[in-house]
Amino acid sequence: MGKLHWSVWKGIDVQLVGDLQERATATAGDFDPQGIANLVHSIAKMGIGMDAALLEAMQGRATVRAGDFKPQDVSSVMWALAKMGVKMDEQLLEAMQQRARAAVGHFKPQEVSNLFWALEKMGIKTPDSALLEAMQERARETARDFEPQGVSNLLQAFAKMGVTVNGDLLEAMQRQARVRAGDFRAQGVANLMWALAVMGITPEASLLEALQRRAASTAGEFKTQEVSNLLWAHACFPAALNP
């Protein structure tokens, strides 16, 4: 059922979606972790909203099977619920954080950034401390594999949550951002600069220079809020970095 939703979400008939949600609710006890993740992820991407009964059933089933979730499933479920603006069941939130801690060594960069993006969107200001420490170390270990969006999303989430970022991770993220600066989108440049400013972190001069060049080459893509955030961030940095 979960795989069916994932494979046909584009252009699917609305009535069929309703029928499938009803069927998924009735058979919720048969869903495995990947099926749960695929189902909620695809519905979130469709942007059609999830039936209340199905949401309750899937959260209950995910709580029961949390110990069998793979990292991709954990991040997909968290991302999807956050995307839909769902208030996550407390038992499920605890179960997902426990599972993420246990499987931290297998998380890929996008899964790490998606997890913290989701926690921030859900208004979780104090994630499990052991999880936070372990995930920061995992992000540091895999920093060279982070895409530009992953770098900006992770640091923006940390900034919004008020997280104190590990120094080694911060160094690794700035280095990766500098290496991949030419691939940043306008939004990513603005978000990264804003995050560093909010955290009171002065970017390395070479990173600032690289992001300024990227901002100049993508100036026509900046939205109003992104322009404001970028200029605000610059104003927060020491004058020596803003000749």
Side-chain angles (χ1 to χ4, degrees), residues 56-76:
E56 181 180 356
M58 285 297 109
Q59 290 202 77
R61 182 61 176 167
T63 302
V64 171
R65 294 296 306 274
D68 299 316
F69 271 64
K70 295 179 179 179
Q72 183 179 7
D73 301 330
V74 172
S75 66
S76 290

Side-chain angles (χ1 to χ4, degrees), residues 1 19-31 53-54 57-58:
M1 180 70 73
D19 292 341
L20 287 173
Q21 289 203 47
E22 184 177 340
R23 178 59 179 165
T25 302
T27 60
D30 296 327
F31 273 73
L54 176 57
M58 285 297 109

Side-chain angles (χ1 to χ4, degrees), residues 129-145:
S129 58
L131 172 64
L132 181 59
E133 181 179 355
M135 280 295 172
Q136 287 203 56
E137 176 59 21
R138 181 59 178 169
R140 185 198 64 77
E141 293 172 350
T142 60
R144 291 183 179 181
D145 296 322

Side-chain angles (χ1 to χ4, degrees), residues 128-197:
D128 180 273
S129 58
L131 172 64
L132 181 59
E133 181 179 355
M135 280 295 172
Q136 287 203 56
E137 176 59 21
R138 181 59 178 169
R140 185 198 64 77
E141 293 172 350
T142 60
R144 291 183 179 181
D145 296 322
F146 268 73
E147 293 294 327
Q149 185 178 5
V151 174
S152 60
N153 282 356
L154 181 63
L155 292 185
Q156 184 184 39
F158 283 160
K160 287 184 174 182
M161 297 167 77
V163 168
T164 299
V165 181
N166 177 285
D168 290 337
L169 171 59
L170 182 60
E171 180 181 350
M173 288 290 106
Q174 289 197 78
R175 182 170 55 247
Q176 180 66 357
R178 185 178 65 248
V179 170
R180 296 294 305 275
D183 299 316
F184 270 74
R185 295 180 179 178
Q187 182 184 31
V189 172
N191 288 348
L192 177 55
M193 296 287 278
W194 178 90
L196 291 173

